[in-house]
Amino acid sequence: MKIYVQEEDVKFIMQIFDLNKDKTIDVREFVTIAALNDKITGHVTESPDEPLNLSLKKLSHHITTYKEMFDLMDVNGNGQLSMDELMVIIVASTGLDIEVDQDVVRYIYKTIDKDSSGSIDFIEYLSYIPFFLKLYKHVFGKPISLDEIEDALQTVRQYNL
Protein backbone atom coordinates (compact mmCIF):
# COMPACT_ATOMS: atom_id res chain seq x y z
CA MET A 1 0.00 0.00 0.00
CA LYS A 2 1.39 3.37 -1.01
CA ILE A 3 0.69 6.49 0.96
CA TYR A 4 0.78 9.77 -0.88
CA VAL A 5 1.50 12.93 1.02
CA GLN A 6 0.87 16.36 -0.40
CA GLU A 7 3.88 18.67 -0.60
CA GLU A 8 2.01 21.24 1.53
CA ASP A 9 1.58 18.61 4.26
CA VAL A 10 5.31 17.84 4.26
CA LYS A 11 6.11 21.56 4.51
CA PHE A 12 3.63 21.94 7.38
CA ILE A 13 5.15 18.97 9.24
CA MET A 14 8.66 20.36 8.72
CA GLN A 15 7.51 23.75 9.96
CA ILE A 16 6.26 22.14 13.18
CA PHE A 17 8.96 19.53 13.82
CA ASP A 18 12.08 21.37 12.65
CA LEU A 19 12.41 23.43 15.82
CA ASN A 20 15.92 24.72 15.14
CA LYS A 21 15.17 25.41 11.45
CA ASP A 22 18.14 23.40 10.10
CA LYS A 23 15.91 21.65 7.50
CA THR A 24 16.17 18.28 9.27
CA ILE A 25 14.25 16.63 12.08
CA ASP A 26 16.60 15.01 14.55
CA VAL A 27 15.74 12.64 17.38
CA ARG A 28 15.78 15.39 19.98
CA GLU A 29 13.24 17.44 18.02
CA PHE A 30 11.03 14.42 17.34
CA VAL A 31 10.99 13.23 20.96
CA THR A 32 10.28 16.76 22.23
CA ILE A 33 7.40 17.23 19.81
CA ALA A 34 5.99 13.74 20.47
CA ALA A 35 6.02 14.39 24.24
CA LEU A 36 4.43 17.80 23.75
CA ASN A 37 1.79 16.24 21.51
CA ASP A 38 0.99 13.62 24.17
CA LYS A 39 0.61 16.39 26.75
CA ILE A 40 -1.61 18.51 24.49
CA THR A 41 -3.85 15.65 23.36
CA GLY A 42 -3.97 13.94 26.76
CA HIS A 43 -2.99 10.64 25.13
CA VAL A 44 0.24 8.91 26.12
CA THR A 45 1.91 6.88 23.38
CA GLU A 46 3.15 3.85 25.31
CA SER A 47 4.45 1.50 22.64
CA PRO A 48 6.81 2.04 19.70
CA ASP A 49 4.33 0.02 17.64
CA GLU A 50 1.45 2.32 18.54
CA PRO A 51 0.71 4.97 15.91
CA LEU A 52 1.46 8.53 16.95
CA ASN A 53 -1.83 10.39 17.13
CA LEU A 54 -0.66 13.82 16.02
CA SER A 55 -2.71 16.95 16.38
CA LEU A 56 -0.73 19.11 13.96
CA LYS A 57 -2.90 22.22 14.26
CA LYS A 58 -2.79 22.17 18.06
CA LEU A 59 0.95 21.51 18.00
CA SER A 60 1.50 24.36 15.58
CA HIS A 61 -0.53 26.74 17.74
CA HIS A 62 1.24 25.76 20.98
CA ILE A 63 4.73 25.82 19.47
CA THR A 64 4.09 29.25 17.96
CA THR A 65 2.94 30.53 21.36
CA TYR A 66 5.90 28.95 23.17
CA LYS A 67 8.32 30.36 20.61
CA GLU A 68 6.91 33.84 21.18
CA MET A 69 7.40 33.36 24.94
CA PHE A 70 10.98 32.15 24.33
CA ASP A 71 11.72 35.13 22.08
CA LEU A 72 10.54 37.53 24.81
CA MET A 73 13.16 36.07 27.14
CA ASP A 74 15.86 36.01 24.43
CA VAL A 75 16.75 39.67 24.83
CA ASN A 76 19.77 39.63 22.49
CA GLY A 77 17.88 37.64 19.83
CA ASN A 78 20.54 34.96 19.32
CA GLY A 79 18.13 32.02 19.66
CA GLN A 80 19.70 30.94 22.96
CA LEU A 81 18.89 31.84 26.54
CA SER A 82 21.88 32.88 28.61
CA MET A 83 22.00 32.52 32.37
CA ASP A 84 21.27 36.25 32.67
CA GLU A 85 18.23 36.10 30.37
CA LEU A 86 16.77 33.14 32.24
CA MET A 87 17.44 34.61 35.63
CA VAL A 88 15.79 37.95 34.87
CA ILE A 89 12.42 36.22 34.48
CA ILE A 90 13.04 33.91 37.47
CA VAL A 91 14.06 36.77 39.77
CA ALA A 92 11.29 39.07 38.54
CA SER A 93 8.54 36.44 38.82
CA THR A 94 9.58 34.68 42.03
CA GLY A 95 11.42 37.35 43.97
CA LEU A 96 14.30 34.89 44.40
CA ASP A 97 17.16 36.44 46.34
CA ILE A 98 20.19 35.79 44.15
CA GLU A 99 22.50 36.88 46.96
CA VAL A 100 21.35 33.93 49.02
CA ASP A 101 20.31 31.45 46.34
CA GLN A 102 23.14 31.48 43.77
CA ASP A 103 23.50 27.69 43.99
CA VAL A 104 19.78 27.27 43.32
CA VAL A 105 20.04 29.57 40.32
CA ARG A 106 22.96 27.60 38.88
CA TYR A 107 21.21 24.29 39.54
CA ILE A 108 18.08 25.39 37.67
CA TYR A 109 20.14 26.58 34.72
CA LYS A 110 22.31 23.47 34.53
CA THR A 111 19.24 21.25 34.80
CA ILE A 112 17.60 22.91 31.82
CA ASP A 113 20.86 23.14 29.81
CA LYS A 114 20.86 19.39 29.06
CA ASP A 115 23.72 19.47 26.56
CA SER A 116 25.92 21.63 28.85
CA SER A 117 26.47 24.11 26.04
CA GLY A 118 26.26 27.09 28.35
CA SER A 119 22.97 28.25 26.84
CA ILE A 120 19.40 27.03 26.58
CA ASP A 121 18.07 26.50 23.08
CA PHE A 122 14.40 26.34 22.09
CA ILE A 123 14.30 22.54 22.27
CA GLU A 124 15.65 22.54 25.84
CA TYR A 125 13.16 25.29 26.67
CA LEU A 126 10.28 23.17 25.33
CA SER A 127 11.47 20.22 27.41
CA TYR A 128 10.84 22.34 30.50
CA ILE A 129 7.74 24.16 29.29
CA PRO A 130 5.71 23.34 32.45
CA PHE A 131 8.34 25.21 34.51
CA PHE A 132 8.25 28.21 32.19
CA LEU A 133 4.45 28.21 32.06
CA LYS A 134 4.38 28.44 35.87
CA LEU A 135 6.75 31.40 35.76
CA TYR A 136 4.60 33.14 33.15
CA LYS A 137 1.42 32.33 35.07
CA HIS A 138 2.93 34.02 38.12
CA VAL A 139 3.93 37.03 36.03
CA PHE A 140 0.46 37.34 34.49
CA GLY A 141 -1.19 36.88 37.90
CA LYS A 142 0.88 39.76 39.25
CA PRO A 143 2.12 41.78 36.32
CA ILE A 144 5.70 42.96 36.62
CA SER A 145 6.48 46.63 36.18
CA LEU A 146 9.34 47.83 34.01
CA ASP A 147 11.08 48.97 37.20
CA GLU A 148 10.89 45.43 38.62
CA ILE A 149 12.30 43.99 35.42
CA GLU A 150 15.12 46.54 35.44
CA ASP A 151 15.81 45.76 39.11
CA ALA A 152 15.93 42.04 38.32
CA LEU A 153 18.26 42.68 35.39
CA GLN A 154 20.57 44.79 37.53
CA THR A 155 20.60 42.13 40.26
CA VAL A 156 21.47 39.41 37.76
CA ARG A 157 24.23 41.55 36.22
CA GLN A 158 25.61 42.40 39.65
CA TYR A 159 26.18 38.75 40.48
CA ASN A 160 27.36 37.88 36.96
CA LEU A 161 26.00 34.34 37.13
Side-chain angles (χ1 to χ4, degrees), residues 5 11 16 23 25-26 29 31 34 75 77-78 87 97 118 121 127 149-151 161:
V5 180
K11 287 180 182 177
I16 294 169
K23 298 186 179 171
I25 300 170
D26 62 28
E29 289 168 316
V31 169
V75 176
N78 69 350
M87 293 323 304
D97 184 356
D121 65 20
S127 297
I149 292 172
E150 186 59 36
D151 289 346
L161 301 172

Side-chain angles (χ1 to χ4, degrees), residues 45-64:
T45 306
E46 295 180 3
S47 164
D49 299 326
E50 183 179 348
L52 189 59
N53 183 16
L54 291 174
S55 178
L56 294 178
K57 288 186 181 184
K58 282 184 179 180
L59 274 171
S60 177
H61 172 74
H62 279 79
I63 290 170
T64 299

Side-chain angles (χ1 to χ4, degrees), residues 27 38 49 56 62 66 91 94 97 99 121-122 132 139 144 155-156 159:
V27 172
D38 283 357
D49 299 326
L56 294 178
H62 279 79
Y66 298 153
V91 169
T94 66
D97 184 356
E99 261 183 79
D121 65 20
F122 184 57
F132 289 106
V139 169
I144 299 171
T155 301
V156 168
Y159 289 97

Side-chain angles (χ1 to χ4, degrees), residues 3-142:
I3 298 176
Y4 295 97
V5 180
Q6 300 278 331
E7 185 174 338
E8 308 88 57
D9 293 335
V10 172
K11 287 180 182 177
F12 188 59
I13 290 170
M14 284 298 293
Q15 177 186 354
I16 294 169
F17 278 78
D18 184 19
L19 297 173
N20 60 5
K21 305 302 179 208
D22 66 354
K23 298 186 179 171
T24 63
I25 300 170
D26 62 28
V27 172
R28 198 169 68 119
E29 289 168 316
F30 182 81
V31 169
T32 300
I33 295 294
L36 183 60
N37 181 73
D38 283 357
K39 183 78 173 162
I40 291 169
T41 63
H43 174 80
V44 177
T45 306
E46 295 180 3
S47 164
D49 299 326
E50 183 179 348
L52 189 59
N53 183 16
L54 291 174
S55 178
L56 294 178
K57 288 186 181 184
K58 282 184 179 180
L59 274 171
S60 177
H61 172 74
H62 279 79
I63 290 170
T64 299
T65 301
Y66 298 153
K67 179 68 171 135
E68 289 172 2
M69 291 165 51
F70 178 87
D71 290 344
L72 285 173
M73 292 177 64
D74 182 18
V75 176
N76 66 8
N78 69 350
Q80 308 283 320
L81 298 180
S82 67
M83 174 83 86
D84 288 355
E85 289 168 330
L86 176 64
M87 293 323 304
V88 168
I89 190 73
I90 290 174
V91 169
S93 66
T94 66
L96 186 68
D97 184 356
I98 292 182
E99 261 183 79
V100 176
D101 299 318
Q102 288 186 37
D103 290 337
V104 172
V105 170
R106 285 187 187 95
Y107 177 79
I108 291 169
Y109 192 79
K110 287 179 181 178
T111 300
I112 297 170
D113 181 19
K114 289 291 189 192
D115 63 2
S116 300
S117 65
S119 62
I120 298 170
D121 65 20
F122 184 57
I123 298 168
E124 290 167 325
Y125 174 86
L126 278 180
S127 297
Y128 283 86
I129 199 65
F131 170 74
F132 289 106
L133 289 175
K134 285 184 182 191
L135 288 177
Y136 287 114
K137 184 177 180 181
H138 183 76
V139 169
F140 291 126
K142 178 194 152 263

